Amino acid sequence: MQKASLVQALQQVSKAVSVSSPIPVLAGIYVEVTKDEVVFMGSDASLTIKVTLNEAAHGLRIHRTGRIVVPARYLNEIVRKLSADVITFDMDEPLMLRITAADSQARLCGMDPEEFPSMDDIEPRPLIKFRIHTGLLKASIAQVAASAAISDMRPVLTGVSFDYSHQSLKLMASDGIRLASSTIFTGTNSGPAAQIVIPARNLGELSKLLKHDHDETEIEIRHNRVRFTAHELQVESALIDGAFPSLSHVIPDAYASELLVERTRLLRAAECVSVLAGDRIIKLDATEGSLALSSRTAEIGEVHDRVPLRKMKGKAFRISVNGKFLMDMLRGMDGEFVRLRFVGRTSPLVLLPEDETSPTLFLITPIRTNDG
Amino acid sequence: MQKASLVQALQQVSKAVSVSSPIPVLAGIYVEVTKDEVVFMGSDASLTIKVTLNEAAHGLRIHRTGRIVVPARYLNEIVRKLSADVITFDMDEPLMLRITAADSQARLCGMDPEEFPSMDDIEPRPLIKFRIHTGLLKASIAQVAASAAISDMRPVLTGVSFDYSHQSLKLMASDGIRLASSTIFTGTNSGPAAQIVIPARNLGELSKLLKHDHDETEIEIRHNRVRFTAHELQVESALIDGAFPSLSHVIPDAYASELLVERTRLLRAAECVSVLAGDRIIKLDATEGSLALSSRTAEIGEVHDRVPLRKMKGKAFRISVNGKFLMDMLRGMDGEFVRLRFVGRTSPLVLLPEDETSPTLFLITPIRTNDG
């Protein structure tokens, strides 16, 4: 097979391989040659990635079928270092993969493919199956996943809630300090509704693997897992048990002031003042005409920056927030402008896209400081 | 001053800054504004890097003189994050640097510049001062420095010997297993001769900082340090005490076989087989027409590769060496071909450039293996 196709497939499935896994077979890549396909698979038990290369589409030449699991680290390195363009895999000895390319030849000891987690269906039919625009799915994941919790004090908060109803898929994540929510309209359908929670880390890997933004991704929800299929790629994730908290009551429905500012300009100012933000606290000070950002670190110094306001409704205000969280949100958003809604000194600051019909929303809880 | 010049100068001097230094002032960058220059300096006590920007050459506007030391990490980050092209430094308050750029302003607490190591000359005149072609100096450092020892069991071996005589500068390094040597002809001069040992790490940083390959670098040797000057850059290194061992007796003057092979092809083969090289051992097997490379890791597998020989004098041979050391040497060399000289099973393998007049030489001590 062509080195380029092989390197790409191995790179993709390796995202799910945990080299230091206590289960030896999970430090490997599963390779299966069937009559007309070569399948590669990597898994860390929570996330499984499968790439299927078709004989005709990839100009493969299959002589014999077989399957094996080989250590991911060595397989990747050897394939990358081979200088020929065409690479041959042979499984003529049991539990041994022979790799040949021009003058080079390697033999890698393998592991039993029976021990590798299977992606075959135990349940004959998924509970729910629908298709979604890949570009919109990636954008929503980028907006929402960063707001999930890192620590697993409450495991359900390390995930992103997928709330699928008859017309839409709503993604939501919150770590208790910030919240992000985005909705994709899927068109009406008559199937059942469902809410699941997917580990944010797995969605992040999925998002990086999805390439064809203008195509659709198929989503299949099963009892304890979800599967995404796009072209040659299948990504399956375990689900997080437990109910995702209902958070609609924390979203303010009124506000005291609203600003419109250039998104990248605000992001750059936040990056600049964050350099000296002790405990990550940055202060926002909205007055007529401009939004001032500032931070200080005791005994080191302070930074001030200023962003012009495009529009302002309501009164001047002052609020302190976690600078990293603010930057994460601004980076996840698209569009030239962003709206900031101030509700009150102790209420979350709301970030919204300029487009008032956009179903995307971010909340960030303020930090109380002594000096106001 | 222009952001681009400032970012570059800070980046250069930061190579000598040790952020975790127990001496607080060494975690800082020294900034001095004189009548017509701005000087930046970083130092870790062994290595000091100084960049001098001239007012006229860099379009600076100097209003007032002054000097200060500010924490390198914060200074670098703030300057990089400022979005304006023109940046102003102010030292109007004692031990405080004010940085202004368009709408942004930062104040950084500074340290006493008196505490910063000075590069001013205590000795009025260097012992030896000469100029050398920058490109040749960089090439020699690249070839030789990688062979210096990493651990400081014998401190003198962590350095590169600079042996300056009336016609040449000879660089040599050895960690006991490998040796590299390269000579640069400097033209005759009537000054005194000297041998010094410079920390290999400092030479590596110097080499990366030298940009103008076609110009010359001035080298000044003093009692306990050496200074390199090129354009706006001055790099000063402490010397390593102690005599560098005389190694001329380990260089074989006869050989049993000599091969000529393509350098990059041999390097690629060594990289490929190194993937499975247990204890880094790779085996070389020279026969009529080709050089076979191989390695194995118990319970994982083995790799074989083969490089065609361009020429071979003498008999077939087999020898095992440290693969990483072989790759370091091949990477340090230039030219399309490399000569390999086999002296005997227990003697070092010699690597030489194709050009027989080249004053560059590498030795690598073989590893005894059970299976030959």
Side-chain angles (χ1 to χ4, degrees):
Chain A
M1 71 196 106
Q2 293 299 312
K3 181 179 169 184
S5 316
L6 179 58
V7 166
Q8 200 193 8
L10 291 176
Q11 208 179 344
Q12 290 176 324
V13 303
S14 294
K15 298 290 181 196
V17 177
S18 49
V19 176
S20 58
S21 172
I23 307 167
V25 81
L26 294 187
I29 289 175
Y30 176 97
V31 182
E32 178 168 3
V33 180
T34 66
K35 203 165 45 58
D36 53 2
E37 286 176 345
V38 181
V39 173
F40 298 93
M41 206 155 49
S43 178
D44 66 2
S46 167
L47 177 70
T48 303
I49 301 172
K50 180 175 177 177
V51 172
T52 307
L53 303 185
N54 181 271
E55 183 173 26
H58 285 269
L60 312 177
R61 277 189 297 173
I62 292 174
H63 300 288
R64 202 185 335 203
T65 63
R67 58 195 195 124
I68 192 168
V69 177
V70 280
R73 193 186 123 200
Y74 295 110
L75 180 61
N76 282 328
E77 272 201 66
I78 289 173
V79 166
R80 233 179 301 130
K81 299 262 165 81
L82 292 174
S83 31
D85 288 336
V86 177
I87 292 173
T88 306
F89 275 15
D90 264 308
M91 300 179 211
D92 43 8
E93 287 173 77
L95 294 187
M96 181 69 76
L97 178 67
R98 194 147 51 82
I99 306 166
T100 335
D103 289 333
S104 320
Q105 199 186 105
R107 292 168 80 242
L108 264 184
C109 299
M111 289 170 278
D112 186 357
E114 284 294 333
E115 288 175 21
F116 202 84
S118 162
M119 242 169 88
D120 293 341
D121 305 319
I122 305 159
E123 310 154 36
R125 275 155 45 94
L127 299 175
I128 291 170
K129 182 166 168 173
F130 60 98
R131 301 177 71 81
I132 206 159
H133 183 272
T134 301
L136 291 178
L137 177 64
K138 284 170 67 177
S140 289
I141 293 172
Q143 287 165 355
V144 173
S147 292
I150 305 292
S151 98
D152 48 3
M153 297 266 283
R154 282 184 70 187
V156 81
L157 293 187
T158 64
V160 173
S161 157
F162 267 50
D163 197 347
Y164 180 71
S165 74
H166 294 181
Q167 292 183 19
S168 64
L169 175 69
K170 181 175 184 180
L171 281 72
M172 189 185 279
S174 174
D175 62 2
I177 303 289
R178 52 185 167 165
L179 177 152
S181 160
S182 178
T183 302
I184 308 168
F185 295 99
T186 54
T188 46
N189 79 65
S190 53
Q195 193 193 13
I196 56 172
V197 185
I198 307 173
R201 206 189 70 81
N202 292 354
L203 283 178
E205 295 296 349
L206 168 72
S207 196
K208 281 184 260 172
L209 290 169
L210 292 172
K211 296 290 170 224
H212 307 277
D213 280 14
H214 297 292
D215 282 353
E216 289 193 321
T217 298
E218 185 181 83
I219 305 183
E220 291 167 81
I221 300 176
R222 281 153 205 266
H223 275 300
N224 58 355
R225 52 201 173 128
V226 59
R227 184 186 294 178
F228 301 86
T229 306
H231 292 268
E232 298 167 337
L233 179 75
Q234 283 198 302
V235 176
E236 192 172 273
S237 171
L239 302 180
I240 301 179
D241 278 340
F244 198 81
S246 165
L247 293 166
S248 49
H249 65 280
V250 302
I251 301 174
D253 42 17
Y255 57 92
S257 315
E258 185 182 83
L259 315 177
L260 185 69
V261 294
E262 254 184 77
R263 186 175 62 89
T264 53
R265 190 126 180 212
L266 178 57
L267 175 58
R268 267 191 279 127
E271 286 172 346
C272 180
V273 303
S274 285
V275 173
L276 290 182
D279 297 327
R280 292 191 171 158
I281 300 171
I282 68 175
K283 197 187 289 182
L284 307 178
D285 205 336
T287 52
E288 200 62 54
S290 77
L291 177 66
L293 288 85
S294 62
S295 72
R296 62 167 69 229
T297 299
E299 286 164 38
I300 303 289
E302 55 186 59
V303 201
H304 298 264
D305 206 347
R306 187 172 287 279
V307 181
L309 297 182
R310 178 78 164 218
K311 280 187 201 156
M312 179 165 178
K313 284 189 261 183
K315 290 187 303 182
F317 66 87
R318 183 183 287 186
I319 195 168
S320 293
V321 295
N322 179 309
K324 181 182 178 298
F325 292 176
L326 180 64
M327 292 186 284
D328 280 350
M329 290 177 175
L330 292 169
R331 286 195 194 107
M333 295 175 92
D334 34 32
E336 195 182 348
F337 292 93
V338 56
R339 284 181 292 150
L340 268 68
R341 281 188 182 167
F342 174 78
V343 180
R345 288 291 305 281
T346 56
S347 302
L349 188 71
V350 183
L351 275 77
L352 300 160
E354 183 186 13
D355 174 6
E356 309 219 351
T357 64
S358 165
T360 300
L361 169 144
F362 297 93
L363 292 189
I364 179 165
T365 305
I367 298 167
R368 296 296 298 267
T369 58
N370 297 328
D371 57 348
Chain B
M1 69 197 106
Q2 294 298 312
K3 181 180 171 183
S5 316
L6 179 58
V7 167
Q8 200 194 6
L10 292 176
Q11 207 179 346
Q12 290 176 324
V13 303
S14 294
K15 297 291 182 197
V17 176
S18 49
V19 176
S20 58
S21 172
I23 306 167
V25 81
L26 295 187
I29 289 176
Y30 176 97
V31 182
E32 179 169 3
V33 180
T34 68
K35 204 166 44 60
D36 54 2
E37 285 175 347
V38 182
V39 173
F40 298 93
M41 207 156 47
S43 177
D44 66 3
S46 167
L47 176 71
T48 302
I49 301 172
K50 180 176 177 176
V51 172
T52 306
L53 302 186
N54 181 273
E55 183 173 25
H58 285 269
L60 310 178
R61 278 191 296 174
I62 293 175
H63 300 288
R64 200 185 337 204
T65 64
R67 57 195 195 123
I68 194 168
V69 177
V70 279
R73 191 185 125 201
Y74 295 110
L75 180 61
N76 282 327
E77 272 199 67
I78 288 172
V79 167
R80 235 179 298 130
K81 299 259 165 83
L82 291 173
S83 33
D85 289 336
V86 177
I87 292 173
T88 306
F89 275 15
D90 265 308
M91 301 179 210
D92 43 8
E93 286 172 78
L95 294 187
M96 180 69 75
L97 178 66
R98 193 148 49 83
I99 307 166
T100 333
D103 289 332
S104 321
Q105 199 185 107
R107 292 169 79 241
L108 263 183
C109 298
M111 290 170 278
D112 186 357
E114 284 295 333
E115 287 175 21
F116 203 84
S118 162
M119 241 168 90
D120 293 341
D121 304 320
I122 304 161
E123 311 154 35
R125 274 156 45 95
L127 299 174
I128 291 170
K129 181 167 169 173
F130 60 99
R131 301 177 71 80
I132 205 158
H133 183 271
T134 301
L136 291 177
L137 177 63
K138 284 171 67 178
S140 289
I141 293 172
Q143 286 164 358
V144 173
S147 292
I150 305 292
S151 99
D152 49 3
M153 296 267 282
R154 282 184 68 188
V156 80
L157 294 187
T158 64
V160 174
S161 157
F162 266 50
D163 196 347
Y164 179 71
S165 75
H166 294 181
Q167 290 182 19
S168 63
L169 175 68
K170 182 175 184 181
L171 280 71
M172 189 184 279
S174 174
D175 61 3
I177 303 289
R178 53 184 166 165
L179 178 152
S181 161
S182 178
T183 302
I184 308 169
F185 295 99
T186 54
T188 47
N189 78 67
S190 55
Q195 193 193 14
I196 56 173
V197 185
I198 307 173
R201 205 189 70 81
N202 292 354
L203 284 178
E205 294 296 349
L206 167 71
S207 196
K208 281 183 262 171
L209 290 169
L210 292 172
K211 296 288 170 225
H212 306 277
D213 281 13
H214 298 292
D215 283 353
E216 289 193 320
T217 298
E218 185 181 83
I219 304 183
E220 291 168 81
I221 299 175
R222 281 152 204 268
H223 275 300
N224 58 357
R225 50 200 173 130
V226 57
R227 185 186 295 178
F228 301 86
T229 306
H231 291 268
E232 299 167 337
L233 179 76
Q234 284 199 302
V235 176
E236 192 172 273
S237 172
L239 302 181
I240 300 178
D241 278 340
F244 198 81
S246 163
L247 292 167
S248 50
H249 65 280
V250 301
I251 301 174
D253 41 18
Y255 57 91
S257 316
E258 186 180 83
L259 316 178
L260 185 70
V261 292
E262 255 185 75
R263 186 177 61 90
T264 52
R265 192 128 179 209
L266 178 57
L267 176 58
R268 268 191 279 128
E271 286 172 345
C272 181
V273 304
S274 286
V275 173
L276 289 183
D279 296 327
R280 291 189 172 161
I281 300 172
I282 68 175
K283 197 188 287 182
L284 307 179
D285 205 336
T287 52
E288 200 63 54
S290 78
L291 176 65
L293 288 86
S294 63
S295 73
R296 62 167 70 229
T297 298
E299 286 163 39
I300 303 289
E302 55 186 59
V303 201
H304 299 263
D305 207 346
R306 186 171 288 279
V307 181
L309 297 181
R310 177 78 164 217
K311 279 188 203 156
M312 180 167 179
K313 284 191 262 183
K315 291 186 303 182
F317 66 87
R318 184 182 287 186
I319 195 167
S320 292
V321 296
N322 180 310
K324 182 183 177 299
F325 292 176
L326 180 65
M327 292 187 283
D328 281 350
M329 290 176 174
L330 292 169
R331 286 195 194 107
M333 296 176 90
D334 35 33
E336 196 183 347
F337 292 94
V338 56
R339 285 181 292 151
L340 266 68
R341 281 188 182 166
F342 173 79
V343 180
R345 288 291 306 279
T346 56
S347 301
L349 187 72
V350 184
L351 273 78
L352 300 161
E354 182 185 14
D355 174 7
E356 308 218 352
T357 65
S358 165
T360 299
L361 169 142
F362 296 94
L363 293 188
I364 179 166
T365 305
I367 297 167
R368 297 295 298 269
T369 57
N370 296 329
D371 57 348

